[in-house]
Amino acid sequence: MNDRTTTLDGPATDDTLTRPFEGASPYDTYVHASVLNTLQHPLTEAPDEMGFLVTTQVMELWFTLIVHEWRTAKVAFAKDDLPAAMDALVRSRRALTALGGAWAPIAALTPAQFNGFRAAFGRASGFQSAMYRHMEFLLGDKSAGLLRAHRGDPAVHEALAETYREPSLYDEVLAYLHRQGLPVPRHVRERDVTSPYDSDPGVAEAWRHVYAGPQHHPHLALGELLTDIAELVTRWRFDHVLVVRRAMGAKPGSAGSAGLAWLEQRAARPVFPELWEVRGDV
């Protein structure tokens, strides 16, 4: 520590805080709030549309952070750096918790309130979110059809195709566990990573070894952290179902899907399935 006093060492004065900035404020230069605040363009006079826009845009930002953290974790697992991987997963767990809370502004829309602006967004639908698709691909829920839907936007499609072609977060976890001596089957480690991940008895057996072992082992802590993430993803999906059910019932989706039925089917897809299966065997 040095003894020199800087402008950050003492209390700010009114003169300091009100001094004109030279151009944009340092805050805006870093955060780009002035850009973010220009991105809301309601298409109707409906009072609830602004909340709908902001909510979905905030969710997109949380998707971006979660994808960033899962990619960071993937790199760490590939390097057998469990502490760095766990740190990234813990950060993603916090972001997922915030993502779940983001439903609040629109969670209680009535059908009449939702219908006040629904027609304005035409065939737009949340399932078209490329960043959410990155999340699902990273979880191992790959789909060539849902990738193909983005071909009209080459930059978005290629970025998503890269995530599609790469091992998922769970693939990297299982490869790491194998290198640590756990019996992850070869056919799982060498599987086609562009196919959706399905539960495997051999992987379940590997996790059974973890959960039957020392209760403070780092691998068990990893299993529980992944279970937290799986639970938060599943809760967000089911909250989505409830928001849609409350706002529009069983009407078809805006993009031509079956709406509620399609969301219910997607929500029921397991995340890290073997972690749930082995819990009854311990």
Side-chain angles (χ1 to χ4, degrees):
M1 299 290 290
N2 63 53
D3 295 328
R4 291 184 300 170
T5 300
T6 71
T7 56
L8 297 180
D9 291 330
T13 65
D14 288 345
D15 180 62
T16 301
L17 296 176
T18 59
R19 186 177 303 143
F21 304 115
E22 295 180 4
S25 72
Y27 173 83
D28 195 61
T29 299
Y30 182 68
V31 176
H32 300 292
S34 60
V35 175
L36 291 173
N37 293 332
T38 64
L39 300 179
Q40 297 76 42
H41 303 287
L43 300 177
T44 73
E45 297 297 321
D48 295 289
E49 187 181 6
M50 187 66 165
F52 185 83
L53 274 171
V54 170
T55 294
T56 52
Q57 289 174 351
V58 166
M59 285 187 178
E60 284 292 326
L61 292 174
W62 286 126
F63 295 161
T64 299
L65 177 57
I66 292 162
V67 166
H68 169 77
E69 298 297 2
W70 288 351
R71 285 174 173 158
T72 300
K74 275 185 57 181
V75 170
F77 279 122
K79 295 178 178 178
D80 293 334
D81 189 347
L82 182 60
M86 294 282 280
D87 285 347
L89 292 178
V90 167
R91 293 192 299 268
S92 81
R93 181 174 60 187
R94 296 186 191 121
L96 282 162
T97 299
L99 174 65
W103 285 117
I106 62 171
L109 284 176
T110 67
Q113 289 169 336
F114 187 47
N115 287 338
F117 60 89
R118 186 189 183 208
F121 57 76
R123 295 183 61 80
S125 174
F127 89 85
Q128 298 162 355
S129 166
M131 196 54 67
Y132 181 68
R133 199 63 54 210
H134 279 283
M135 281 181 59
E136 292 210 319
F137 286 1
L138 281 164
L139 290 173
D141 195 358
K142 305 288 183 73
S143 168
L146 291 174
L147 169 63
R148 188 165 52 248
H150 291 275
R151 284 192 305 187
D153 190 332
V156 169
H157 180 265
E158 180 51 37
L160 191 55
E162 186 174 349
T163 304
Y164 174 78
R165 293 188 296 261
E166 291 176 347
S168 70
L169 170 63
Y170 198 45
D171 288 322
E172 292 290 5
V173 168
L174 297 179
Y176 163 79
L177 291 177
H178 167 72
R179 292 192 297 273
Q180 299 301 305
L182 285 159
V184 177
R186 180 174 180 177
H187 67 267
V188 174
R189 292 182 279 112
E190 297 180 355
R191 75 183 193 89
D192 177 5
V193 297
T194 66
S195 298
Y197 183 85
D198 288 320
S199 176
D200 185 90
V203 173
E205 183 61 27
W207 282 117
R208 203 170 283 115
H209 276 274
V210 171
Y211 276 83
Q215 293 302 288
H216 296 286
H217 194 283
H219 293 162
L220 192 143
L222 171 61
E224 287 298 277
L225 181 51
L226 291 171
T227 303
D228 287 345
I229 288 169
E231 180 175 329
L232 287 165
V233 170
T234 302
R235 286 182 183 276
W236 184 88
R237 289 172 172 174
F238 276 108
D239 282 348
H240 191 183
V241 169
L242 290 174
V243 170
V244 170
R245 182 182 293 161
R246 185 161 181 165
M248 57 176 270
K251 290 179 182 177
S254 54
S257 75
L260 187 64
W262 190 85
L263 287 175
E264 288 173 336
Q265 181 184 40
R266 299 293 298 180
R269 297 168 76 89
V271 179
F272 312 146
E274 297 91 353
L275 283 165
W276 300 99
E277 295 165 15
V278 303
R279 306 185 88 80
D281 300 333
V282 178

